[in-house]
Amino acid sequence: MPNEIKKVAVLGSGVMGSGIAGLLAGAGFPCLLLDIVPKGLAAGESRNKLALKGLELLSVSKPSLIYSKSDLKKITVGNFEDDWSKLAECDWIIEVVVEKLEIKRELFTRLEKVVRTGTIVSSNTSGLSLKSMTEGLKKEFKKNFVITHFFNPVRYMKLVELVSGPETDPEVTRTIHCFLEDSLGKGVVIAKDTPNFIANRIGVYSWFATLQEVLKNNYKVEEVDKILGSAMGRPKSAMFRTPDMVGLDTIVHVARHTYESCVNDEKREIFKTPPLIEKMVEKKWLGDKTGQGFYKKVKKEGGPSEILALDLQTLEYRPQEKVRYDSLGAIKNLETLSEKLKTLVTASDRAGELAWSSTRDMLVYAANRVPEIADDIVNVDNAMKWGFGWELGPFEIWDLLGVGETAERIRQEKIILPKIVEQLLQKGEGRFYKREKGKQFYFDPATQSYKPVQEKSGVIILSSLKEREKVVKQGMSASLIDIGDGVFCVEFHSKMNAIDDDIISMLNFGLDTVEKNGVGLVVTNEATNFSVGANLLLMFMEAQSKNWAGIDKVVRDFQNVNMRMKYSQKPVVVAPFGITLGGGCEVVLGAQRVRAHAELYMGLVEVGVGLIPAGGGCKEMVLRCERGAAGGPFPKIQKAFETIAFAKVSTSAKEAVSLGYLAREDRISLSRERLIADAKGDVLEMARNYQSGKPREDILMPGRGGEMAVLSAIQGFRLQGLITEHDAFVASKLAHILTAGDQANLTRVSEQHLLDLEREAFLSLIGTEKSQARMQAMLMTGKPLRN
C-alpha cells in the first residue's frame, strides 16, 4: 500500500521543479527541493546553490509562481550529495531533472536504494516512456512508479498527465490521482505510455501543420495570431506568441522526439523541423528567454517601446500591420464561441481559409489518435483544454461544427476520415457527446456505444442539477438551486456576472427560502470569473438620465442585501474565484464566511471609474482593518484607505487575506471543481452551532481630525503631480467615509452610519461629469481614463 502523502521531495530545481515545489508548499505540504552540487564552486559558495536559485526564482517571478511568499517557509533546500538520505522520510518523490534518458535512469537506480516501502516515485518527463525509464529496476520500485507530467507554469496550468505502467500498483495510481485533484487542484488525464502523451502530441502537431499552411500561403505572424487566437476559442497568445512564451526550443524538442519515436504516425513528416525554425534555433531566437523570437520588443528613440514581428520570408523584424478581414469583423458582435467558430471556418477570405485548414488538420489528427494515446475522447478533450488553454477540446469542436457536415466537407477535400468518425456516423447519434437527465455521455469506439462521463465524487455541478429540475427559481441574471441537505445556492449568470437588480432580488429570495425552510445558503456560480462588479452600463445610463432616485434605490438595496447576508438567521457562505471586483468583492465582504478558490483576483476597484465602493465595501474594510490594529483608530483607516484608493487587487486568495479582503478564518480550496461542495460543507458545519450576530453600533472612528490628516496627504500627492484634480476629489470622498469625517474626533458610529456615508458619496460622484467620462471610457475601451 502507498503511504499517505504528507511530505514530498522534488529532485531538480529548475523552472518546473521549483514550480512544483511552490505548488506543494502553497497547498500546505512540507517539501524538500534538491539539485546537484554545481562544479567549480567558489570559496564560500553554498553547495545548495542551484536549489537556492530555484527558491529565489519562486520569490521574484512575475506573475507570481506561488500563492504567498510565506509558502517558501515550507520548502527546504538541499543537494543530491549531502541530503540524499533525507529522501527516506518522503512519501512522494518527483523527478524533474534534465530530459535525458540516461540521466533519469541513473537517478532512479540511485533512488531505488534509499526510498522506503510505500513511497511513490514519479517522473515529470514531458515525453520519455515509462518503460524505458524503469528498465532494469526492481519490481517493488516499478510497482510504485508513475509519470506525473505537469505543465508550465505549474501554478496556473491545470493539466497533469498521469501515466502508469503494466507493473504499477493500481492503488498507487489511484492515490496519486486523488492527491493531484483533491489536494493540488489539478485536472488529471489518464494518458498511455506513448511519446509526448496527449496534449503535446496533438498540440505540437497542430502547430507544425498550421506552420506549413502559413509558409505556403505567405501569412504574416501578426495575421496568424489574430485569426487563430481568441476568435477560435484559443488563448490570446495564439500560434506565434505561444512559442515565444514557452521557448521555441521546447516545441522543437517535442517535435523531434515525436519524429524519432513515432515511426508509424501517418503524419510523421509534419514533425520535421522546417529550415525557418532551424535557423531561428541556430540564431537562438527562442522567444522571451533570449529577447526575441517571432516577436521582438524594441525601445524607440524618444518614445515608447514597440513590438516588432518577424518576417517569415526574410527573417527580418518589421513593424506590425493592422489585420482586417470581413470574417473577423463579422464575428466581433457574436456572443458565443459556437457562432464565432462556425462563421470563421466557413468564411471564404484568407482568415477563413487558415481557420478551416488549421481546424480540419487538428480534428483529423486528434481523432486518429484514439485509442493510441488515450482510451477515450474525454481525456483527449480535457488535455487540450487544461494543457493548451483551449475553450473546447477536439471532439467538442467536432460536435460544435456538426460531425456529419464536417465529415462531408473533409471527404470532399479528398482526406480520409478517421475510423472513430466513421464508427460514430454508422453506430452513434451523430455526436461525440450527449446529455440525458443531467448526465453527460461520450461515444466509446471500443464498444461503439455511449458511456457516462465519470463524475467525480464530492463534486457539485450546478448545470447538472438544473437539468435534474433542482431549480427553485430562475431569473434573468441569477437562479436559486437546491444543492441538497437543506442547502441552497444562489447562482449568478448575468453577462460577466455583473451585479444588477435581478441578482439582488435573487439573493433576497434565497435568504427568504433558507430562513423559512433551509439550513443555509451558498453564493457562487460556474463561470470563469465570480463577478466583474456592478452593472456599470446600467449605472452610466441612469446617471446620463439623471435618475438619482433610481440609483439611490439600487445602492440601498445592494447595501441592505449584503447586510442581510452578514446577519442572516441561517449561515451564508460565499465562494468566489477568479476575477472578483467591485460589487462582486462587496458580496464576498458581506458574507459570514468565505470559501475561496486559491486563484482569486479580488479588489475594490471603483476609483478607476471615478466612484467609491458603496455596497458596504468601505464599511467592511474599516471593520476588517480594525482587527489587530494598534495605536487607536487611525492606523486601520490608513490601511483601508490605501487598499481602496490604490485599487489593490489580490493575486491569490492568500494575498486577499493579507489585503484584508478575506478574514483569516475564511477557507481556501485549491480544487475549482470542489469549491461548491466545500462551501456547502462549510454551511453544514456552521449550522451545527449557528448563532446570528447583530449590526455593530460601536465602531471607533477618527472623525474630523482624521479626515483632515488624510486630506493633507491627498493634497501632497496633488501638489507633486502624482494625481489629477478629480483623483483628489474622489479620494477626499473616500477619506470622508473611512474617517467618519462628519463626526467629532474619536466618535463611535454604527455600521448603518458608514453605509449612509458610502451612499451619499457615491451619488455625489456619479453625478459629476468627470466620473461619468471615466465610466464611459471603461465601457468603450476597457481601460481607465485619467482626467
Side-chain angles (χ1 to χ4, degrees):
M1 286 287 292
N3 301 324
E4 180 184 354
I5 299 174
K6 295 180 179 179
K7 185 174 181 180
V8 185
V10 178
L11 308 181
S13 61
V15 173
M16 286 300 297
S18 59
I20 293 170
L23 178 68
L24 289 159
F29 295 92
C31 184
L32 185 63
L33 181 62
L34 305 184
D35 213 320
I36 61 171
V37 177
K39 295 177 181 178
L41 284 173
E45 279 195 292
S46 173
R47 288 167 62 82
N48 301 334
K49 181 179 179 180
L50 292 180
L52 286 167
K53 187 177 179 182
L55 205 62
E56 181 186 7
L57 176 68
L58 289 177
S59 67
V60 301
S61 292
K62 298 290 181 184
S64 180
L65 299 176
I66 50 178
Y67 298 122
S68 168
K69 288 195 176 180
S70 63
D71 295 341
L72 298 176
K73 296 174 184 176
K74 286 195 172 288
I75 301 175
T76 303
V77 298
N79 63 73
F80 287 179
E81 295 178 21
D82 304 325
D83 304 289
W84 197 254
S85 61
K86 294 179 182 177
L87 296 174
E89 306 166 6
C90 298
D91 307 301
W92 178 24
I93 299 170
I94 312 167
E95 169 275 307
V96 202
V97 301
V98 65
E99 195 74 347
K100 292 186 178 179
L101 181 59
E102 304 77 24
I103 293 175
K104 290 182 186 289
R105 289 181 64 172
E106 182 183 332
L107 183 141
F108 293 138
T109 300
R110 189 179 169 201
L111 192 57
E112 191 177 37
K113 299 170 184 175
V114 70
V115 295
R116 64 184 178 185
T117 302
T119 292
I120 298 172
V121 178
S122 73
S123 172
N124 185 60
T125 179
S126 60
L128 297 177
S129 75
L130 184 149
K131 182 180 179 181
S132 64
M133 288 189 292
T134 58
E135 189 176 344
L137 295 173
K138 294 177 183 176
K139 186 176 181 179
E140 181 65 24
F141 189 88
K142 291 181 179 180
K143 185 177 79 171
N144 293 296
F145 189 88
V146 291
I147 289 171
T148 50
H149 179 215
F150 290 80
F151 274 60
N152 188 43
V154 176
R155 172 183 163 180
Y156 300 102
M157 297 306 292
K158 184 175 178 177
L159 179 63
V160 176
E161 293 174 315
L162 177 59
V163 182
S164 303
E167 296 177 72
T168 305
D169 181 350
E171 190 61 26
V172 167
T173 305
R174 189 197 66 78
T175 297
I176 206 70
H177 191 159
C178 290
F179 184 84
L180 288 165
E181 285 187 340
D182 300 345
S183 299
L184 300 186
K186 289 300 178 186
V188 178
V189 300
I190 304 300
K192 290 189 175 181
D193 194 14
T194 57
N196 299 318
F197 314 128
I198 301 175
N200 280 339
R201 180 77 174 273
I202 294 172
V204 173
Y205 163 79
S206 181
W207 195 88
F208 275 91
T210 302
L211 181 64
Q212 283 195 358
E213 290 291 324
V214 167
L215 295 176
K216 183 172 72 175
N217 294 295
N218 198 22
Y219 285 90
K220 295 179 176 66
V221 164
E222 66 273 30
E223 187 180 15
V224 174
D225 280 354
K226 188 75 172 177
I227 298 166
L228 301 182
S230 55
M232 293 185 62
R234 305 284 176 85
K236 288 183 179 178
S237 56
M239 178 166 174
F240 288 117
R241 182 70 187 110
T242 297
D244 275 6
M245 293 167 64
V246 305
L248 182 61
D249 54 333
T250 301
I251 290 179
V252 169
H253 170 79
V254 173
R256 285 175 178 164
H257 181 59
T258 307
Y259 183 80
E260 292 165 3
S261 305
C262 298
V263 294
N264 295 319
D265 190 313
E266 77 280 4
K267 294 293 184 181
R268 184 183 181 220
E269 292 304 308
I270 293 288
F271 291 96
K272 266 189 176 177
T273 310
L276 162 72
I277 303 301
E278 295 283 10
K279 287 177 185 175
M280 289 181 68
V281 172
E282 185 182 321
K283 291 174 176 284
K284 297 197 181 302
W285 293 358
L286 306 178
D288 295 349
K289 61 184 176 183
T290 59
Q292 63 193 94
F294 290 103
Y295 293 97
K296 181 180 181 180
K297 190 175 184 179
V298 295
K299 184 76 175 173
K300 287 165 65 176
E301 207 171 309
S305 298
E306 180 182 13
I307 298 176
L308 304 178
L310 183 68
D311 187 308
L312 301 177
Q313 307 301 318
T314 66
L315 282 185
E316 293 177 353
Y317 290 94
R318 53 164 180 76
Q320 295 186 52
E321 298 177 11
K322 288 283 186 183
V323 179
R324 290 189 177 90
Y325 285 109
D326 289 343
S327 58
L328 293 177
I331 66 173
K332 273 187 178 179
N333 297 320
L334 299 179
E335 290 286 333
T336 67
L337 177 58
S338 175
E339 293 174 308
K340 291 178 181 180
L341 196 53
K342 285 178 179 177
T343 301
L344 195 53
V345 300
T346 54
S348 57
D349 57 15
R350 274 171 60 85
E353 288 170 358
L354 181 63
W356 165 245
S357 65
S358 177
T359 301
R360 174 201 63 207
D361 293 346
M362 179 276 296
L363 291 178
V364 172
Y365 188 77
N368 277 327
R369 301 281 72 77
V370 178
E372 177 195 345
I373 62 176
D375 280 329
D376 60 65
I377 64 172
V378 179
N379 280 297
V380 172
D381 280 344
N382 286 339
M384 301 316 298
K385 290 187 290 186
W386 298 341
F388 275 68
W390 296 4
E391 287 187 43
L392 296 174
F395 296 95
E396 291 171 324
I397 294 173
W398 272 103
D399 280 355
L400 182 149
L401 297 177
V403 178
E405 301 94 310
T406 304
E408 182 56 32
R409 186 175 179 184
I410 289 171
R411 279 197 196 101
Q412 289 176 2
E413 295 177 8
K414 310 300 182 186
I415 297 172
I416 300 173
L417 275 182
K419 183 179 178 182
I420 190 175
V421 177
E422 295 281 18
Q423 291 174 327
L424 177 74
L425 294 174
Q426 293 171 12
K427 304 280 186 172
E429 298 176 19
R431 297 183 59 82
F432 281 107
Y433 292 97
K434 68 175 184 176
R435 295 191 69 86
E436 290 180 0
K437 297 179 181 178
K439 289 183 178 291
Q440 189 174 34
F441 296 80
Y442 70 94
F443 182 75
D444 173 42
T447 60
Q448 298 191 32
S449 64
Y450 288 89
K451 288 186 174 180
V453 174
Q454 187 176 359
E455 294 184 353
K456 299 171 186 173
S457 61
V459 172
I460 294 174
I461 303 172
L462 297 180
S463 57
S464 179
L465 291 175
K466 286 180 176 180
E467 292 177 6
R468 297 177 199 177
E469 301 181 350
K470 297 295 183 180
V471 177
V472 179
K473 183 178 181 180
Q474 183 163 342
M476 290 292 293
S477 300
S479 298
L480 184 69
I481 303 167
D482 184 347
I483 60 175
D485 301 312
V487 182
F488 294 81
C489 177
V490 171
E491 178 202 24
F492 301 168
H493 45 72
S494 60
K495 185 175 182 179
M496 301 176 76
N497 290 326
I499 308 297
D500 59 15
D501 286 346
D502 193 56
I503 285 178
I504 294 170
S505 175
M506 193 61 69
L507 286 169
N508 276 311
F509 181 78
L511 289 165
D512 289 341
T513 302
V514 299
E515 287 178 353
K516 290 176 185 174
N517 304 307
V519 173
L521 186 69
V522 171
V523 179
T524 192
N525 59 79
E526 292 180 328
T528 304
N529 298 302
F530 180 74
S531 173
V532 297
N535 189 324
L536 189 62
L537 176 60
L538 178 64
M539 284 291 179
F540 176 71
M541 291 173 65
E542 294 287 359
Q544 290 280 288
S545 302
K546 302 188 186 306
N547 184 9
W548 312 125
I551 294 174
D552 179 76
K553 181 181 185 303
V554 170
V555 175
R556 281 179 189 271
D557 289 346
F558 190 37
Q559 289 181 341
N560 290 340
V561 80
N562 285 335
M563 283 290 281
R564 193 178 170 197
M565 284 198 297
K566 184 175 182 179
Y567 297 112
S568 169
Q569 297 170 28
K570 297 289 176 70
V572 177
V573 174
V574 178
F577 51 88
I579 293 172
T580 305
L581 302 176
C585 178
E586 290 180 294
V587 171
V588 179
L589 292 172
Q592 299 161 8
R593 181 177 291 176
V594 177
R595 168 64 74 162
H597 185 232
E599 295 297 342
L600 182 66
Y601 312 106
M602 181 175 175
L604 296 168
V605 296
E606 285 86 348
V607 293
V609 290
L611 303 172
I612 52 90
C618 296
K619 179 259 297 180
E620 282 301 318
M621 290 307 293
V622 168
L623 296 177
R624 285 160 186 261
C625 293
E626 183 179 46
R627 301 180 187 183
F634 194 73
K636 71 181 178 187
I637 300 311
Q638 187 175 20
K639 182 180 179 183
F641 180 83
E642 289 174 357
T643 302
I644 300 172
F646 292 108
K648 292 183 179 180
V649 176
S650 70
T651 59
S652 68
K654 287 188 177 182
E655 189 179 10
V657 175
S658 66
L659 289 173
Y661 294 135
L662 297 183
R664 298 205 175 274
E665 58 266 27
D666 289 334
R667 297 173 178 178
I668 298 172
S669 294
L670 267 73
S671 172
R672 177 74 176 81
E673 282 79 7
R674 298 184 189 279
L675 185 65
I676 300 175
D678 289 345
K680 176 185 172 182
D682 293 340
V683 167
L684 294 173
E685 180 185 310
M686 292 169 68
R688 293 188 193 112
N689 300 293
Y690 181 72
Q691 288 185 323
S692 60
K694 292 183 179 180
R696 287 184 56 184
E697 304 281 344
D698 62 344
I699 308 163
L700 183 61
M701 304 296 289
R704 293 190 190 95
E707 182 180 24
M708 294 305 295
V710 179
L711 290 176
S712 177
I714 293 169
Q715 185 62 19
F717 282 119
R718 178 75 186 102
L719 291 172
Q720 295 175 64
L722 298 175
I723 59 176
T724 68
E725 182 180 351
H726 196 61
D727 289 334
F729 182 64
V730 174
S732 69
K733 294 290 184 180
L734 179 61
H736 186 70
I737 302 165
L738 297 179
T739 59
D742 63 330
Q743 301 292 309
N745 294 347
L746 299 178
T747 300
R748 294 188 183 275
V749 302
S750 66
E751 289 188 59
Q752 187 58 51
H753 185 81
L754 294 179
L755 290 173
D756 291 342
L757 292 179
E758 281 185 17
R759 195 174 61 259
E760 290 166 10
F762 185 88
L763 284 164
S764 67
L765 286 169
I766 201 170
T768 65
E769 184 179 327
K770 288 186 176 179
S771 284
Q772 289 180 24
R774 291 187 177 193
M775 296 168 71
Q776 185 176 27
M778 182 62 73
L779 288 166
M780 294 180 68
T781 69
K783 297 177 182 178
L785 171 69
R786 294 291 303 279
N787 57 352

